[in-house]
Amino acid sequence: ARDNYSALLVHMGRYTELMAAWKTYIEKSPLEPSGYYMLAEIQYRAGEKENAIATLQLLEGQVPSEKSRVALMIAQIRSGTVKMQ
């Protein structure tokens, strides 16, 4: 149900609500990478590229095993070639 609600909010362009929800999720589950990736995707879609990069860098600090994936995504964001789901 949460995924459908999130998809609806994205479709409606209600990024602020989604960002707040994913920030709360990250606070509660700081070692769960999916929250960071979702927040970064929403920030990117909202035109907040630097915030998306900062979120990914925070993930890298919290979950070092994500370092290579984070580096790739940051490079793609900077080059404009990132493919968000």
Side-chain angles (χ1 to χ4, degrees):
R2 184 176 70 174
D3 290 338
N4 290 338
Y5 182 66
S6 293
L8 178 62
L9 290 177
V10 166
H11 179 73
M12 295 171 62
R14 293 172 60 181
Y15 300 117
T16 303
E17 290 175 57
L18 283 166
M19 284 186 257
W22 282 107
K23 286 177 183 178
T24 299
Y25 179 86
I26 289 168
E27 288 172 8
K28 292 180 180 181
S29 303
L31 300 178
E32 176 54 49
S34 64
Y36 296 90
Y37 289 119
M38 289 301 300
L39 177 58
E41 178 178 347
I42 294 160
Q43 290 168 323
Y44 179 81
R45 288 177 183 249
E48 298 182 11
K49 293 179 183 180
E50 291 306 314
N51 287 336
I53 290 170
T55 295
L56 293 170
Q57 289 170 332
L58 182 61
L59 167 59
E60 184 178 46
Q62 290 290 330
V63 187
S65 62
E66 293 293 313
K67 185 176 182 171
S68 61
R69 184 174 175 197
V70 165
L72 176 62
M73 289 188 74
I74 289 173
Q76 290 175 343
I77 288 171
R78 288 186 173 141
S79 70
T81 62
V82 69
K83 301 279 191 264
M84 297 288 184
Q85 288 130 354

